[in-house]
Amino acid sequence: MRRFLTLVCLLCVTIPAGVSITGCFRNPAGNFCNGLGYGLRDTDVASIFLSPQTTGISIAYGQTQQISSPSAKTCKGTAASVSTYTYGTTNNQLIDISPTGNMCAGTWNRNSGGGIPNYTICSFPSPLPATNGLPYATAYVTASADSVTSNPVEVYVHAQVTSLSLVGPQQCLSQTQTATLDSQACYAANGTQYELCAPPGISSTSTPAFACAGGLAPGVTSVPDCSAALGTLNYTVGNTSVASLNQVTDVITAELPGTTVITASVAQGASSAGYFSTCPPAAINVTLANGSTSGTIAQGVQQDLTTSVIDTLGNPITGLTLDYQSTDPIDVTVGATGAITTSFPSVASVNAVCQPTTCNPAPINVTGVNGTGLSITSNPVKITVPGTASDYVWFSAPGQSQYFVPVELISGTVGSTIRLPYVPNSMLMDRIGNNIYFGSEHELMFFNAITNTLTKQDTGAPGVVLAVSPNNSQLLINDQVRQVFYLYSVAGGTSSTFGGMGVAANWTPDAKTLYISDSAAAGAGHTDTLYVYNVNTGWTSYPLAASGAANPGAQSVAITIPGVGAYLSGNPTVAHTWCPSGNVGNAASILFYPQGDSVNTLTDVLAATTDGQHILGAAVNGGVTTLSDIGIALPTVTSMSGVVTPATCPVSSAGVMSPLVIQHPATPFNTLPLAVNATAVNQVVPSPASNLAFVTYDGTTAGAQLPYYIPGTGGAAGTVGYLTLTGSAAITAPLVGAFSPDDTLFFVSTAGDNLIHYNSIPSRNNNGKLHSLSREVAFERHRLALHRIAPRPEAERKSRRRLNRKHPRLPMRLGNLRQLRRSVVPAIGPQPGPRSLMNRIERRHFHQHVGCRWKLPIHKLDVAEWRQKRRALAAFFLPTGPALKAQRGKKAPQPVIDRSASRRTKK
């Protein structure tokens, strides 16, 4: 029994000890933050973070704002669970906060009665804060949970900010330069704007000075920095291509030329605080790879231009988006990076242009600030692509018939008659030669010149087709019944409209600016007005001198080379240019395309030479025909290295913008009489090489000659001569003509003999005269007019078939140009007469005298290159009503080409 009792006692002692040891093992110290088995557990709230931790919160009197949700962490750094936070404030008369964390800049309503919930009405602080006489003060708010309090967040309570003004760099910064943004703020008291805060150094006499009209409030001697009164301001950049911003440090970096809006936000509001400018180009210099500004590039060879840009502080600029303009974009194209592609023989001038909105942009209301928002062009580079070309030709005479017939000139085959839905009143072709656009009073018609099919009809755009953009993206259509312009997207239809009427229009080579002239002399509804459409400034209009007996008005538009403006015919002959006039920052004072030149000479028609040195005009007045040669030049600047480039738009130090005034040589213009019996002048046609021009006209006197003009240099008058065409005894007028892009051929249609004269221009000179040779091939057609020369691709089969042809053909389009130029509805201008389809070709050669300094190289392509590059020739004719009746039921006549040097072509 004693032994049993001893065993029981041992068990009683041993079991509790075992239990105790086992329990300590199952409750380790690792569940506690200190690892000692007591205190804060690792799942409890250890810290609370309330944002924003450094910048604070800005809130105006009476405003409310929900504080950001606090975040709780354990001692291990993991998220801790909190069911409810308790919010506190250091001054509940200045910043009150509801149990849910909604802040009030003042005090919340409590126990209002009448069923009004608590914390729904925020009243202004009482009393209003006054720190050194200014309406602002600060308090702190916190969030608490489980006996843990967050970091305090500073709350800036102040009067409502009425405006913020940027106090940053007043001048532009060069690319990659930096600055720190800062601002000053205003508040309203008793109807007056007073300074609330400003950076150190800003005063009523500093530059910049206080921005608030009332300056300092009564009794206030200074204002704090805005970071002390308002907290951190938040800035955003409107155009990130102009500048980039570090949101933490407010450091702004200049990127590309232009001006951008800087928006500042504070106390739940944002406003335009000011503008930041990256310095614009002061000079753009373009050369070929060898440093020359002129050169010869073989057909099919690509060469890159070298473009260097210097800003107004003398620092280089890279990465610009420039528009490269070519005077012959079909044959000599320039890519976005300055790569020249020579598709066909030609002579062209190339310029690089920086213009808004893609280069040097600025908000319209601050155009001109620091020189931004303005355009600038480079020096020209002259490109010569030697060789000869052969292309398609289009003929038409819109106005009386809705039929036209395609003719393949290589085979002599006349195609089937094509009937348009309506009689067209106008016809224009794109520069590529793919589409022909017919206008009518009923609808716009698209004809595909490659497939010979009518591809589109749009009844929503009736009217006269006045212009096709160089990139074939837009048409200008003038509905002369509704008196409205349609800017028509080829791909999508009408994109914008503007009220008005026009008689002539022309796009700049980059297709960004469109000049439209109108003259009251054109008839009822017309006015003496210039309309300009630009992708940056939109539609604008400008009054022109009143037309009358001494002034025919602006019935012709010639774009300058480069496209800095346009000359308008009339008396006087004037130019409007792309440099605006007015005061920077005063949008109401700005004229975007003011007058930049006025020349006291009468012109009916105008044309610009591709070298940019001449505006050629012609006119008939009192039975006397004259030709005017206006010598022009752009203002230039010379760099320290001696490089001469066109100058920027003039802006004075006081912010006054002035027009780009085109300069002249010592003798601004020369007017020379033309010994022709003309009733009206139709064209001045300068050659692609700018060293020859022909004048075409209407007349009724037999024996008419074709006048030509060789421009002089340095302001000197050039040489006038006359070409006697074959069969001149029957010719009453050379109506309309066109050069081939390679400058080797000139076509002219003549009245009286009703022929198209097909002339080649060799490089030989012969005592100052142009002489014709005996080779001739001709077409017959009454009053056909040449509109455009354009290449078009063809099948290889036709290329091989043409290989043995001796004489190349060049592209052009024929139609009644005078009728088109007047933008006719049928009552205006002469109409084509009843004649049969053209059935003859005339080919002639003549010599050109250009003096020792003028020499036109004419190069022959080898057979392999000829095989690849030559193009077929096709023609489209619009016969008149009587001609169409005569044609019906008959087999179309076939042209018979006789290339004998000793005989005329036979019908």
Side-chain angles (χ1 to χ4, degrees), residues 619-638:
V620 174
N621 184 26
V624 177
T625 305
T626 56
L627 182 141
S628 297
D629 181 356
I630 304 172
I632 62 172
L634 300 182
T636 59
V637 293
T638 303

Side-chain angles (χ1 to χ4, degrees), residues 8 104 248 316 318 355 404 439 487 512 523 540 590 598 644 720 758 778 883:
V8 171
C104 163
V248 176
T318 60
Q355 58 182 324
F404 66 98
L487 197 60
K512 289 192 172 183
T540 53
I590 296 177
S598 178
V644 179
V720 172
Y758 181 30

Side-chain angles (χ1 to χ4, degrees), residues 350-418:
V350 173
N351 291 80
V353 177
C354 171
Q355 58 182 324
T357 57
T358 55
C359 181
N360 197 31
I364 291 295
N365 60 308
V366 292
T367 295
V369 63
N370 293 320
T372 62
L374 306 176
S375 302
I376 181 174
T377 183
S378 73
N379 58 288
V381 175
K382 184 179 179 180
I383 306 297
T384 301
V385 185
T388 56
S390 177
D391 302 87
Y392 275 77
V393 122
W394 281 267
F395 302 88
S396 72
Q400 291 190 351
S401 174
Q402 63 193 96
Y403 295 87
F404 66 98
V405 179
V407 177
E408 171 59 63
L409 298 183
I410 294 300
S411 62
T413 302
V414 178
S416 301
T417 300
I418 298 172

Side-chain angles (χ1 to χ4, degrees), residues 103-483:
M103 295 182 295
C104 163
T107 56
W108 283 116
N109 67 306
R110 293 178 176 84
N111 305 317
S112 302
I116 300 175
N118 293 337
Y119 308 108
T120 57
I121 300 174
C122 179
S123 302
F124 277 26
S126 181
L128 290 174
T131 303
N132 298 324
L134 294 169
Y136 77 92
T138 61
Y140 294 87
V141 296
T142 58
S144 303
D146 297 342
S147 301
V148 179
T149 301
S150 72
N151 59 286
V153 173
E154 189 170 16
V155 181
Y156 300 84
V157 181
H158 50 82
Q160 181 69 50
V161 174
T162 54
S163 66
L164 288 166
S165 298
L166 191 67
V167 183
Q170 299 300 302
Q171 304 301 319
C172 65
L173 298 184
S174 291
Q175 195 172 48
T176 72
Q177 291 182 345
T178 61
T180 301
L181 298 180
D182 206 347
S183 296
Q184 55 178 312
C186 303
Y187 73 98
N190 301 320
T192 303
Q193 301 289 318
Y194 295 114
E195 288 285 329
L196 178 59
C197 58
I202 301 297
S203 68
S204 58
T205 59
S206 63
T207 302
F210 286 144
C212 311
L216 296 178
V220 176
T221 58
S222 64
V223 292
D225 187 86
C226 287
S227 61
L230 304 178
T232 301
L233 301 180
N234 297 311
Y235 296 100
T236 56
V237 175
N239 188 339
T240 55
S241 68
V242 173
S244 59
L245 180 67
N246 185 318
Q247 296 286 352
V248 176
T249 63
D250 291 338
V251 171
I252 192 167
T253 302
E255 300 293 347
L256 290 173
T259 292
T260 179
V261 173
I262 303 296
T263 300
S265 58
V266 65
Q268 305 176 30
S271 67
S272 173
Y275 301 92
F276 174 86
S277 299
T278 300
C279 293
I284 304 175
N285 183 39
V286 179
T287 65
L288 295 172
N290 61 3
S292 174
T293 57
S294 63
T296 299
I297 303 176
Q299 183 176 344
V301 174
Q302 179 174 305
Q303 185 171 135
D304 293 333
L305 292 172
T306 299
T307 304
S308 59
V309 185
I310 301 298
D311 72 11
T312 52
L313 296 183
N315 298 312
I317 306 175
T318 60
L320 281 181
T321 300
L322 298 173
D323 294 322
Y324 287 91
Q325 299 181 354
S326 170
T327 56
D328 183 9
I330 301 174
D331 302 319
V332 179
T333 59
V334 189
T337 60
I340 297 177
T341 301
T342 55
S343 303
F344 303 98
S346 179
V347 178
S349 181
V350 173
N351 291 80
V353 177
C354 171
Q355 58 182 324
T357 57
T358 55
C359 181
N360 197 31
I364 291 295
N365 60 308
V366 292
T367 295
V369 63
N370 293 320
T372 62
L374 306 176
S375 302
I376 181 174
T377 183
S378 73
N379 58 288
V381 175
K382 184 179 179 180
I383 306 297
T384 301
V385 185
T388 56
S390 177
D391 302 87
Y392 275 77
V393 122
W394 281 267
F395 302 88
S396 72
Q400 291 190 351
S401 174
Q402 63 193 96
Y403 295 87
F404 66 98
V405 179
V407 177
E408 171 59 63
L409 298 183
I410 294 300
S411 62
T413 302
V414 178
S416 301
T417 300
I418 298 172
R419 183 182 187 273
L420 293 172
Y422 299 97
V423 176
N425 57 24
S426 54
M427 168 187 166
L428 288 178
M429 183 177 64
D430 66 58
R431 292 197 179 187
I432 303 173
N434 289 339
N435 293 300
I436 303 173
Y437 304 102
F438 294 94
S440 76
E441 295 181 357
H442 302 277
E443 66 180 19
L444 172 67
M445 296 167 281
F446 285 35
F447 184 83
N448 189 292
I450 298 175
T451 62
N452 291 337
T453 56
L454 192 69
T455 56
K456 184 176 181 179
Q457 298 171 247
D458 192 341
T459 57
V464 177
V465 181
L466 284 180
V468 182
S469 66
N471 59 5
N472 192 32
S473 64
Q474 291 181 308
L475 310 177
L476 175 68
I477 302 168
N478 189 198
D479 186 339
Q480 299 191 347
V481 175
R482 297 176 178 86
Q483 298 188 10

